[in-house]
Amino acid sequence: MIKDNNNKKPRVAIYDFTDCEGCEVKIVSLREKLLLLEKKVDIVNWRLGQERFESGPYDITIIEGTPITDYEIKLLKDLRENSKILIALGACAALAGIPAIMPEKDRKIWYEKIYSSQYHPKGVDALPLSAYVQVDFSIHGCPVDEDEIIRAIEDLLSGKTPRYHDYSVCFECKQAGNPCRITEENKPCLGPITQGGCKAICISGGSPCYGCFGIREEANIPALIKILEKITDKNEVERYLTMFHSRSKEINDHK
Amino acid sequence: MIIISEKNLQDFLEKTKKDFDFFDVGSQDGKPSFKKYFFPPEEEIFRLSDSRIGTAKVSKKFILFGLNLPQLEALTQLDEIMEKPNKDYFYFQRRKQSFVIGLVKEKIDVAPGGDIVLEDRGKGQYRVLVNTLKGKNLIKNYNNFFETVDEKKEKIPQIPEGSSLSEWSKSMRQILLDSELLANAVEWSHGHPIWDELAQKCLGCGICTYVCPLCHCFSIEDRVGLDDKCSRCRKWDACTLPNFSKIAGGHSFRPNLKERYYNWFYHKFVRAYREYGKSQCVGCGACKHNCPAKIDIQEVLSVILRDYRSNQ
C-alpha cells in the first residue's frame, strides 16, 4: 500500500481521541520491536510517545479512540485529507466500542447523576471513525494485540494491503485448549462470529468473548443469537452484543 | 504373544517420558485432534535473510500415546493423504521423529495404525501388537518391561466382545462402510433443501475442521518482517471460511456458507472416495461434539442417504 518514497522513510502520525489510551500503551510495549519499527518509519507526531509535533501530510496516520466532540470530528476529517493511509487502532476507533456503550436515550439521566444538572455535554455522539471518513484498515482489539500492530505495519511497508482474519476466535481458543463456553459450559460467547487474532486471551483468562476484534466476514450472526438466547435471556444477549457493537451495522441489522 | 502388565506399562511410560517428549492424547477426549503434533496449526517453512535460506528445525523425538481405534485409523489415512502427490516434507519429518502408541479397548486382529498398539485385556494386562519396525525397536530397547508369553500355556484374559466406542461412533462407522453409496448420495444431494437448513444453522466458525483428525487444508502466508527477514509459513485453513476459496481480484468460487459447507462434505465423502477409495471420516465424533450449533454429521448423512435411496 505504501510505495517507496525515494527511499525516504514513511512519515507516521499517531493521534488519539476519546479513550483510555491503552492501545497506544500497547505500541509502547512493543519495546524492542518499537525500536525496529523506528528504523523503518519516521514517527513525526505522537503526543503520548514523544515531543515532536510535525504537521502533515502523513503517509500513515494511526488513530486511537472515538471521535466524540466537534473538535475531534473536525480533526479526524483534516487528518483524512492529509493522510495517504488512515488506520483505526483499537475497538474505540474501529467500532466506537466502550464510549458507545451507553444507549443514546439514557445519556441524559447519567449526565445528571454523575455531573449534576448544571453539566453541558460537549460530546456530539459516539461513532466509529468510519462514520465520518474512509478507514483503510482497522487494527482490532480492546486493547489491540502487539502482533497485530506489527502484522499491519509489516504489510503496509512491504507494499501489501493488510487483510482481516476471516477465521474465528474459536480457532485460537481451540489451540489454547480451553473448554468451549458454549458447548461445554453453557455460557454465552461471541467467539464464533468474531475475528481471530486475539489469541483467545479473554476466554483463556476465564472471561467471555464480547467481540472486540470485530465481526468476522460472513459470520452467521442470527444463528449465534438463536443459540445464545437458549443459553441466557434476551437482556443478557443484548448486553453481550452492545459491549462493543452497539454501533456495528452487522449486528444491528439482525436485531 | 507380547504382553505388558499395568504396572510395567506405567513404569515404561515414566521411563520414556524421561527419554523423549511425551504427549498423551487419550486424556484429551473431544479436544483438538492429534494431527497438530505432525501438522501444527502454524509452522514456518523457511526464512530468508541476507540471501540465506533457513528451513525450520524439526522437533526432537516424541511419543504420542493413547490413540484409540478411530484415531489410529485416522493417522494411517492422514499418512496416505500427506503422501500425495508429493510427500509432505514437514509432516513426514515429524512422523519420523514420532513413536505412536495406540490404546484400544476392543479386540483387533490387525493394528489399524501406529507403531505399537496396546489391547486392553482388563485385569491389568495389555496385549502388545507391534505394527512397524520402529515399534519393534522401541520394545527391544525397553524389553525389560515387556514379556513374551505362550498363549496356549498361559491364561491371558480374553477381551469381551463388543466395542468401547460410543453408540454414535458405532452407527457412524456402519454408515461409513459403504463409502461408494455415501459418495454417490452426497454428490446427488447438491441442491437438496438440507443445505439451506444447514446454512441457516451453521455459524461458519470452522471448529469442525480444526478438530477433525483428517481435515488438512492450509493456506500459505508470506511475511516481510521489520528486521527485513522474509518468512513463509503455513497455517491451518478451513474450507468453511470465506477467504479459502477466494482468488485474485476477490472472486470467490464458493461465495456463500451453503456452498462452502456442502464442499466440506463433498471433499470428505465424494472427492476422498474418488482419490483414495474411502471417505475422509473415521466416525470419531469430534465435529459433532465440538459444534456450537449442534450440527450432527450423522444426522445430515442419514437424511441424504434416505432421500437418495428413495429417489433411485
Side-chain angles (χ1 to χ4, degrees):
Chain A
M1 243 167 144
I2 281 280
K3 281 273 164 279
D4 209 329
N5 251 343
N6 302 323
N7 274 335
K8 264 195 264 162
K9 289 198 272 186
R11 284 163 55 83
V12 173
I14 304 172
Y15 274 83
D16 46 38
F17 297 146
T18 300
D19 66 345
C20 76
E21 296 178 336
C23 294
E24 273 179 285
V25 173
K26 281 287 195 181
I27 300 181
V28 178
S29 55
L30 288 173
R31 296 157 58 108
E32 294 83 357
K33 283 184 181 157
L34 179 59
L35 299 178
L36 271 180
L37 182 65
E38 291 240 291
K39 287 185 189 156
K40 293 280 167 184
V41 300
D42 197 6
I43 303 177
V44 296
N45 194 330
W46 183 15
R47 182 194 57 81
L48 191 89
Q50 62 193 31
E51 289 180 348
R52 192 173 161 202
F53 306 105
E54 290 179 24
S55 47
Y58 308 116
D59 293 304
I60 304 172
T61 300
I62 298 171
I63 302 176
E64 183 209 46
T66 314
I68 299 282
T69 62
D70 278 328
Y71 169 77
E72 286 174 332
I73 294 165
K74 188 182 172 304
L75 177 59
L76 170 63
K77 288 176 180 167
D78 286 348
L79 286 169
R80 175 71 272 188
E81 293 275 296
N82 283 298
S83 313
K84 281 190 196 151
I85 289 171
L86 191 139
I87 305 278
L89 182 74
C92 295
L95 309 168
I98 299 297
I101 242 176
M102 179 69 61
E104 216 170 335
K105 60 177 174 38
D106 296 344
R107 278 183 200 154
K108 215 169 160 250
I109 306 168
W110 290 100
Y111 286 149
E112 280 195 23
K113 269 198 182 168
I114 299 170
Y115 305 112
S116 90
S117 51
Q118 312 297 311
Y119 179 72
H120 296 290
K122 278 183 267 171
V124 180
D125 201 352
L127 296 172
L129 303 186
S130 58
Y132 302 103
V133 297
Q134 187 210 321
V135 174
D136 298 306
F137 188 69
S138 297
I139 302 172
H140 284 298
C142 179
V144 291
D145 180 89
E146 283 95 335
D147 290 343
E148 290 293 298
I149 305 175
I150 296 289
R151 182 176 76 94
I153 293 178
E154 277 178 356
D155 279 355
L156 288 173
L157 292 177
S158 55
K160 290 197 274 187
T161 306
R163 285 209 313 181
Y164 295 108
H165 295 303
D166 68 335
Y167 60 80
S168 60
V169 172
C170 306
F171 172 64
E172 290 166 342
C173 197
K174 287 274 167 279
Q175 302 320 316
N178 297 321
C180 179
R181 286 179 59 89
I182 294 176
T183 63
E184 290 170 71
E185 299 183 333
N186 201 38
K187 290 176 185 163
C189 187
L190 298 190
I193 57 167
T194 304
Q195 282 176 42
C198 60
K199 309 180 181 90
I201 185 170
C202 293
I203 301 152
S204 302
S207 168
C209 171
Y210 289 109
C212 72
F213 259 64
I215 301 297
R216 217 161 43 77
E217 187 180 338
E218 288 188 50
N220 195 345
I221 298 165
L224 183 70
I225 292 178
K226 256 189 213 158
I227 293 168
L228 297 184
E229 284 178 351
K230 278 183 201 149
I231 295 175
T232 183
D233 59 79
K234 271 189 160 60
N235 284 339
E236 184 64 358
V237 174
E238 175 70 9
R239 188 179 73 83
Y240 270 74
L241 294 175
T242 51
M243 186 69 86
F244 289 101
H245 291 289
S246 66
R247 300 297 175 145
S248 297
K249 192 180 175 300
E250 302 101 307
I251 293 279
N252 291 331
D253 282 353
H254 291 291
K255 280 202 236 159
Chain B
M1 181 198 275
I2 305 172
I3 60 162
I4 187 167
S5 68
E6 178 74 44
K7 194 191 163 297
N8 275 358
L9 177 61
Q10 293 312 323
D11 292 345
F12 165 69
L13 295 179
E14 282 311 311
K15 180 79 179 74
T16 52
K17 277 178 196 171
K18 285 183 192 127
D19 299 344
F20 307 103
D21 280 347
F22 186 93
F23 305 105
D24 186 352
V25 290
S27 56
Q28 308 176 333
D29 197 28
K31 287 284 177 298
S33 88
F34 63 85
K35 72 181 171 193
K36 68 174 177 188
Y37 296 106
F38 307 112
F39 171 40
E42 191 173 338
E43 71 183 321
E44 197 174 73
I45 291 174
F46 63 75
R47 181 173 281 263
L48 266 173
S49 59
D50 306 324
S51 60
R52 288 166 67 160
I53 301 178
T55 34
K57 289 263 185 303
V58 162
S59 60
K60 66 179 216 188
K61 282 197 160 63
F62 66 96
I63 288 192
L64 198 59
F65 178 78
L67 281 80
N68 65 12
L69 192 60
Q71 287 173 322
L72 288 167
E73 291 171 359
L75 178 60
T76 304
Q77 223 176 319
L78 195 58
D79 285 351
E80 284 173 37
I81 295 166
M82 290 299 194
E83 254 172 10
K84 279 170 80 176
N86 299 307
K87 262 194 159 190
D88 187 286
Y89 175 79
F90 296 94
Y91 177 86
F92 283 103
Q93 283 293 307
R94 288 195 178 81
R95 281 292 280 121
K96 222 165 110 187
Q97 297 291 83
S98 69
F99 297 99
V100 177
I101 304 177
L103 180 62
V104 299
K105 289 198 169 70
E106 38 278 294
K107 193 168 167 39
I108 48 170
D109 295 318
V110 182
D115 298 305
I116 301 170
V117 180
L118 306 172
E119 201 183 77
D120 188 349
R121 289 292 182 99
K123 295 180 186 147
Q125 296 282 8
Y126 296 86
R127 177 187 172 201
V128 183
L129 288 107
V130 181
N131 202 25
T132 62
L133 188 60
K134 208 158 57 167
K136 196 177 167 186
N137 289 335
L138 185 72
I139 289 187
K140 216 157 106 196
N141 292 338
Y142 294 87
N143 58 10
N144 49 333
F145 297 106
F146 298 88
E147 295 178 62
T148 308
V149 294
D150 189 339
E151 223 175 327
K152 284 169 202 142
K153 285 182 193 154
E154 286 181 59
K155 266 193 95 176
I156 306 296
Q158 286 301 312
I159 210 156
E161 285 300 314
S163 163
S164 67
L165 298 177
S166 67
E167 289 306 316
W168 187 93
S169 256
K170 277 189 243 170
S171 49
M172 184 67 199
R173 289 161 70 85
Q174 278 299 318
I175 294 179
L176 289 167
L177 287 178
D178 196 346
S179 46
E180 186 182 353
L181 175 73
L182 264 183
N184 292 337
V186 171
E187 184 164 44
W188 165 87
S189 76
H190 192 242
H192 190 290
I194 195 163
W195 300 112
D196 293 297
E197 285 164 38
L198 287 168
Q200 299 275 311
K201 220 176 150 188
C202 172
L203 301 176
C205 63
I207 288 180
C208 47
T209 68
Y210 307 138
V211 297
C212 175
L214 287 170
C215 272
H216 55 275
C217 291
F218 58 83
S219 56
I220 295 282
E221 213 173 86
D222 288 350
R223 281 178 77 158
V224 184
L226 291 175
D227 52 6
D228 284 332
K229 288 175 183 152
C230 304
S231 68
R232 169 164 291 181
C233 97
R234 77 166 165 191
K235 256 179 151 174
W236 287 3
D237 206 340
C239 56
T240 49
L241 299 179
N243 284 348
F244 185 75
S245 47
K246 264 188 203 155
I247 55 165
H251 176 77
S252 178
F253 291 110
R254 299 186 192 94
N256 54 53
L257 190 55
K258 179 179 149 186
E259 288 301 321
R260 291 196 292 270
Y261 200 62
Y262 172 77
N263 179 63
W264 188 59
F265 276 74
Y266 183 87
H267 191 177
K268 283 200 166 309
F269 300 106
V270 185
R271 254 177 70 193
Y273 174 72
R274 302 229 168 105
E275 284 175 53
Y276 299 94
K278 56 192 165 224
S279 310
Q280 271 167 18
C281 174
V282 287
C284 69
C287 54
K288 173 198 175 257
H289 184 85
N290 288 288
C291 177
K294 295 197 168 73
I295 294 175
D296 180 339
I297 193 170
Q298 189 175 168
E299 275 172 21
V300 176
L301 289 174
S302 301
V303 170
I304 292 171
L305 284 170
R306 182 197 66 201
D307 292 356
Y308 175 68
R309 285 199 185 101
S310 62
N311 264 275
Q312 292 310 299

